Structure formats: C-alpha cells, structure tokens
Amino acid sequence: TWDTISFTPAGRFFYMAFADSLRGIAFHIDECYKKSMVKTADGGRTWSMMNELQGHVGNPHLMPSGFGCLGDGDELFFTSDYGETWDSIPSPLRYIRAIQFLNREIGFISDGYEDVGILKTVDGGISWDTISKYGARFINFFTPDDGFTIQATGTYLDYDVVGHCSGYLSTNDNGVNWTTDFPQYLNTGFPSFV
C-alpha cells in the first residue's frame, strides 16, 4: 500500500534516494528556485537542508551502509554517514545525469548523452573508462558486471527530459555488450531501489 505524505519544506523534489525506509536524500528547489540537497530521517515526512548546490544534480545514490554519492555540476560528492558530511572530487563530465557507486572505488556515471556514454571507475574516480556508447538517464549496477540503464530521448529542459524513455538496456559483462530488455518509447519515471 502507498501513503500520501506532505513535504516540508515547500517546493519541488527531484531525484530521491533512500538507504532504508527512514533515511533518504533528495534534490530540492524552493519557491525562489534555490537549489539544495535535503535529507530525511523519518521516511520523508520532514526534510532538512544539507547544503546549497550550484550545478546540475544527477540521481543521487544512497546505500543501507550509509555510503552515498551524487554529482553536482562538475564534481562528485561522497558520504559515508547518510549525508551528514560529504567529500568531493572533480568529475570528468560537465554535469552528471546518472550516477551509481557500488563502493568508494567502483562507480558509474553518465551525462545522458550518446557522445559521452557511460563511464566506469575502479579507483575511486582517479581514472575513467567508457563502457557504453549509450548515454543514460538512470544507472543501476547490482554487481560490477550486472546492471541496467534507462536511456532517454527528447529535449532536455531545466531538470527533466521532455520526451520518452527509449529503452531499458542491460549488461552482464561489465558493459561490454548491452541488450534491450523492453520496447522503445516507454513513458516511465526512474526507479529507486532500497
């Protein structure tokens, strides 16, 4: 069953990630278009501001262990305490649409466009390799080899895409080969896994 909850503070929420049923982070824009990351410890009933943001934030990722990551502009941010504190490193991309790290060393990012594709690091972001020519709006790897992405087509406006999801692609060989799992042009949002 689903419960309806009212968000405080007022504004728009984008790109939520939850570590468990209570702790989560989200990208928030208030009525004055001030961007910030917010966190909750009560399942989303109340939110508190963590920090203001300057760039374009991609889908944050938060794990039950407290480890999490997000992209803000051309930086990658990491937390090990559910978003209480953050460390950053430079990103190889101008902005990040999709991000997931399995741990502090192994991670995947994309800006959503095919000219960049999906990048992978195995050394905490010191170096990056292109593992797919397809840009992704959402990335989820269950292991370093097994994962899937959601590709999007359309016109990018503000913080969302106007268009359709062009397919779910999956890989089981570290992104060397990709298969289409669902028909193209699905109208869907982006899932969140806990």
Side-chain angles (χ1 to χ4, degrees):
T1 63
W2 291 86
D3 293 327
T4 301
I5 57 176
S6 298
F7 291 118
T8 303
R12 298 187 308 173
F13 286 80
F14 296 90
Y15 308 130
M16 290 184 178
F18 277 79
D20 52 38
S21 64
L22 297 176
R23 294 174 290 198
I25 57 176
F27 173 48
H28 177 260
I29 301 177
D30 69 15
E31 297 89 355
C32 298
Y33 297 99
K34 182 173 144 186
K35 301 178 288 185
S36 62
M37 284 303 295
V38 292
K39 65 181 177 179
T40 183
D42 60 9
R45 297 193 189 294
T46 60
W47 296 84
S48 59
M49 189 168 83
M50 295 176 352
N51 58 333
E52 289 187 36
L53 300 172
Q54 303 303 314
H56 185 287
V57 175
N59 296 324
H61 183 71
L62 194 58
M63 298 172 67
S65 66
F67 175 79
C69 56
L70 63 91
D72 177 19
D74 58 359
E75 289 186 279
L76 297 171
F77 289 86
F78 300 95
T79 183
S80 58
D81 55 11
Y82 302 99
E84 292 294 323
T85 59
W86 295 85
D87 296 318
S88 68
I89 62 170
S91 167
L93 302 177
R94 188 173 54 117
Y95 65 84
I96 299 164
R97 289 259 180 220
I99 184 170
Q100 185 196 9
F101 272 70
L102 298 177
N103 54 47
R104 183 57 181 88
E105 300 300 314
I106 300 172
F108 307 87
I109 59 174
S110 178
D111 72 352
Y113 296 107
E114 289 190 14
D115 58 336
V116 174
I118 299 172
L119 306 181
K120 178 181 179 180
T121 183
V122 294
D123 57 15
I126 295 170
S127 64
W128 296 88
D129 293 314
T130 301
I131 63 166
S132 171
K133 67 178 181 177
Y134 305 105
R137 293 277 293 156
F138 175 84
I139 300 172
N140 193 69
F141 272 77
F142 302 104
T143 70
D145 289 329
D146 301 307
F148 75 96
T149 68
I150 298 175
Q151 317 315 120
T153 59
T155 304
Y156 290 95
L157 297 174
D158 198 15
Y159 299 103
D160 210 350
V161 67
V162 177
H164 299 281
C165 187
S166 65
Y168 293 79
L169 303 179
S170 67
T171 182
N172 60 10
D173 60 5
N174 193 15
V176 174
N177 296 293
W178 295 87
T179 58
T180 301
D181 290 328
F182 297 97
Q184 291 188 337
Y185 302 110
L186 301 171
N187 266 331
T188 184
F190 301 108
S192 180
F193 295 93
V194 175

